[in-house]
Amino acid sequence: MRLIIEVLLMGLAFFIGAKLVPGVEVTGFMSALVAAVLIALANATIGFILRLLTFPINFLTLGLVSFIITVLMILLVDSMMTSFNTSGFFAAAFLAIIVALIKAIFGAVAGEKE
């Protein structure tokens, strides 16, 4: 049940982020939900491998490379979907920041329970 709620909140965060960030378009909540799931899967597979390969550089840049990998995963999903579009790297980077902030707000409001 918790996984379903987290996926729905991630979709909502992407939907809100797409409305807030200029240069990012999503056709509806279901498209935002699919985009959020695809980005999570891309981060868990391709992103994980890239983070392992770039660990020394990531360590030296204090995590900046990890953020860039996340932005690249957003751009990858953008190229796979027609209902989710970004205008470029900076729009995707701003979307990543906004979605992270929205997820942090959701976490603070819901109260992280483990």
Side-chain angles (χ1 to χ4, degrees):
M1 184 68 172
R2 181 179 169 110
L3 177 66
I4 295 170
I5 292 171
E6 295 230 4
V7 168
L8 290 173
L9 287 177
M10 183 70 169
L12 182 61
F14 264 87
F15 186 72
I16 294 170
K19 297 297 179 189
L20 293 177
V21 177
V24 177
E25 296 176 9
V26 66
T27 57
F29 179 72
M30 286 306 293
S31 296
L33 188 62
V34 170
V37 169
L38 288 176
I39 290 168
L41 288 173
N43 264 329
T45 55
I46 301 167
F48 177 73
I49 294 168
L50 288 175
R51 282 178 184 85
L52 281 178
L53 294 174
T54 60
F55 177 73
I57 298 169
N58 199 11
F59 181 74
L60 291 175
T61 61
L62 302 174
L64 181 62
V65 173
S66 185
F67 174 71
I68 292 172
I69 290 171
T70 300
V71 173
L72 291 175
M73 296 303 109
I74 292 173
L75 292 173
L76 175 69
V77 171
D78 171 28
S79 69
M80 293 174 14
M81 293 181 64
T82 57
S83 57
F84 171 66
N85 296 309
T86 60
S87 63
F89 183 84
F90 291 109
F94 194 44
L95 177 67
I97 293 169
I98 295 297
V99 168
L101 290 173
I102 292 170
K103 283 175 48 181
I105 291 169
F106 285 164
V109 169
E112 296 286 332
K113 296 178 184 173
E114 299 199 18

